[in-house]
Amino acid sequence: MEAIFHERQEGSLCAQHCLNNLLQGEYFSPVELSSIAQQLDEEERIRMAEGGLSSEEYRTFLQQPSGNMDDSGFFSIQVISNALKVWGLELILFNSPEYQRLGIDPINERSFICNYKEHWFTVRKLGKQWFNLNSLLTGPELISDTYLALFLAQLQQEGYSIFVVKGDLPDCEADQLLQMIRVQQMQRPKLIGEDTLQSKDQRVQKADLEQALDVSQPFDGTGMLDEDEENFQKALALSRQEIDMEDEEADLRRAIQLSMQGSQRTGLSDSCTLNTPHSAATNQSESLTSEELRRRRQAYFEKQQQLHQQCQNQDFHDVPTTSSNALGTDPGGDMSEEDMLQAAMNMSLETVRNSLNTEEKK
């Protein structure tokens, strides 16, 4: 494949590339093709002048730009045809009635020139194989014999004009080499700029990926860890507060139950001593509202005060100041829940002591 001459696209000089790829060498330059185009323009001007230099058609022709070339580097089919005449070659339109009547199989031809929207390229047979020498490709493209007719038909369907090159092409190294060997092409050549476009897309995708990673991953993870730790500590503190509140409520209820149980035992012992009937049916299994619980505590504290005074008058005839002061306070007044809990626990302890002292004296 390296032996095949292939000019790649530069500007709009596709006509030059088409001719040089066809002839397999640097045979034409833009200056030479421009000279041919100017010669054609002069021949056309002379023919138009035959109708009179003052004619409207002639003046209109002079005002129009050249139809054989332009500033971009485009050259017409007339320029290409005249350039090939130097080598004894001529062009025949592939789908013309004259050529179709010949009934020639495309595989038996030597080369084709294709044109679509001011773009020219060559399809040529080198040795025993066909190649697409389009200057827009990065290199020659191998075309199999079975695919050649389909390839030309596809070009016609896309709007291409196809010309058959008739005559003997100049000898070239690639044609001589490929007469002896056949080449295989593992990968089709890409269009010029396709690699650049793909690499640009890859760079853009890579940049977008890196930016997404930078956004999703902070530069320093300590700040996030500190924030998570702070949130965890706050949640733990709230959880502990809830547990403490539940524990305080549970302690209060247990103290009240102990107080009630102590009251039951004290009531039974006092009923034996003072013959005061008292019911032991203080079942705390029923559910009590907060207001009912407060009223019962207040009644219990008043009753405990009375019983305590009676027991102290009978047994010791002397009431301790601390106990009387503690019992003399209003348990249902402005005491807080914590004060009530402490008072209930003190009363429970004193009740238990009194009960033990009463049983020992008996």
Side-chain angles (χ1 to χ4, degrees):
M1 298 289 284
E2 291 77 7
I4 300 175
F5 181 86
H6 178 257
E7 273 188 2
R8 297 172 63 170
Q9 187 74 20
E10 293 182 5
S12 299
L13 299 175
C14 52
Q16 171 195 323
H17 305 319
C18 174
L19 290 170
N20 289 338
N21 289 339
L22 172 68
L23 301 174
Q24 285 294 289
E26 297 179 358
Y27 289 91
F28 292 98
S29 67
V31 175
E32 293 171 337
L33 294 178
S34 297
S35 177
I36 296 175
Q38 291 173 359
Q39 183 180 353
L40 291 173
D41 290 341
E42 181 64 19
E43 292 176 358
E44 292 177 4
R45 188 191 67 77
I46 293 173
R47 286 195 300 270
M48 293 298 297
E50 292 177 356
L53 298 177
S54 60
S55 64
E56 185 69 24
E57 290 81 4
Y58 182 73
R59 289 199 299 268
T60 302
F61 172 79
L62 293 178
Q63 294 175 358
Q64 292 178 349
S66 172
N68 294 302
M69 67 175 182
D70 59 23
D71 296 336
S72 66
F74 167 76
F75 295 99
S76 66
I77 181 64
Q78 289 80 9
V79 175
I80 294 177
S81 179
N82 279 26
L84 291 177
K85 285 180 181 179
V86 177
W87 296 93
L89 303 172
E90 62 175 335
L91 298 177
I92 301 177
L93 190 61
F94 178 69
N95 59 351
S96 64
E98 293 80 8
Y99 182 78
Q100 292 298 323
R101 282 197 296 267
L102 298 177
I104 301 175
D105 190 346
I107 198 174
N108 294 324
E109 297 290 355
R110 294 294 301 171
S111 59
F112 301 92
I113 288 180
C114 308
N115 169 254
Y116 179 68
K117 291 185 178 181
E118 300 184 354
H119 178 65
W120 303 91
F121 71 92
T122 294
V123 177
R124 173 173 173 169
K125 191 174 187 178
L126 293 170
K128 299 178 181 180
Q129 295 175 288
W130 284 89
F131 295 91
N132 176 11
L133 302 178
N134 193 335
S135 58
L136 293 178
L137 296 176
T138 56
E141 179 186 16
L142 179 64
I143 301 176
S144 64
D145 292 346
T146 55
Y147 181 65
L148 177 63
L150 181 61
F151 178 72
L152 295 176
Q154 182 179 355
L155 290 179
Q156 284 183 307
Q157 193 174 25
E158 293 176 358
Y160 276 84
S161 298
I162 302 176
F163 300 89
V164 183
V165 181
K166 288 294 187 177
D168 295 331
L169 294 169
D171 293 335
C172 62
E173 179 184 357
D175 185 56
Q176 296 174 358
L177 181 62
L178 293 176
Q179 289 288 349
M180 299 180 290
I181 60 174
R182 297 179 65 89
V183 297
Q184 293 182 350
Q185 192 170 44
M186 304 302 297
Q187 187 176 3
R188 176 187 176 277
K190 298 180 181 180
L191 290 172
I192 294 176
E194 187 174 354
D195 290 335
T196 305
L197 182 61
Q198 288 181 353
S199 61
K200 182 179 179 181
D201 292 339
Q202 290 176 358
R203 288 196 300 269
V204 172
Q205 292 176 359
K206 183 178 180 181
D208 293 341
L209 178 60
E210 291 177 351
Q211 184 177 2
L213 290 175
D214 291 339
V215 172
S216 62
Q217 294 180 357
F219 293 102
D220 186 6
T222 57
M224 182 174 291
L225 292 176
D226 293 341
E227 185 177 356
D228 292 342
E229 181 68 20
E230 183 178 357
N231 293 334
F232 174 73
Q233 293 296 336
K234 288 181 180 179
L236 186 59
L238 291 175
S239 177
R240 287 174 177 173
Q241 289 178 2
E242 293 177 359
I243 293 174
D244 291 341
M245 292 174 64
E246 292 177 358
D247 290 344
E248 289 178 1
E249 185 177 356
D251 291 340
L252 178 59
R253 292 187 180 277
R254 283 197 296 271
I256 292 172
Q257 279 188 341
L258 290 174
S259 300
M260 293 297 184
Q261 292 174 4
S263 175
Q264 292 176 10
R265 289 194 296 269
T266 305
L268 288 176
S269 61
D270 290 344
S271 64
C272 296
T273 307
L274 302 174
N275 295 323
T276 305
H278 198 72
S279 174
T282 55
N283 187 6
Q284 295 301 318
S285 61
E286 4 181 279
S287 61
L288 300 176
T289 64
S290 176
E291 186 62 29
E292 290 175 352
L293 191 60
R294 185 180 295 276
R295 287 200 302 269
R296 292 195 180 190
R297 285 202 303 267
Q298 184 174 356
Y300 165 73
F301 289 143
E302 292 175 354
K303 183 177 179 180
Q304 286 293 105
Q305 183 180 2
Q306 294 174 1
L307 293 175
H308 183 71
Q309 289 176 355
Q310 291 176 5
C311 292
Q312 293 296 326
N313 291 333
Q314 291 178 6
D315 296 338
F316 303 101
H317 305 286
D318 185 16
V319 180
T321 304
T322 57
S323 298
S324 63
N325 291 337
L327 294 172
T329 58
D330 183 10
D334 297 332
M335 297 178 66
S336 63
E337 293 290 334
E338 184 176 357
D339 295 336
M340 290 182 181
L341 174 61
Q342 186 66 35
M345 294 177 65
N346 292 336
M347 294 296 294
S348 299
L349 293 174
E350 290 183 5
T351 302
V352 173
R353 292 196 200 99
N354 292 337
S355 298
L356 294 176
N357 292 332
T358 302
E359 291 178 1
E360 288 177 359
K361 287 185 178 294
K362 289 179 181 181

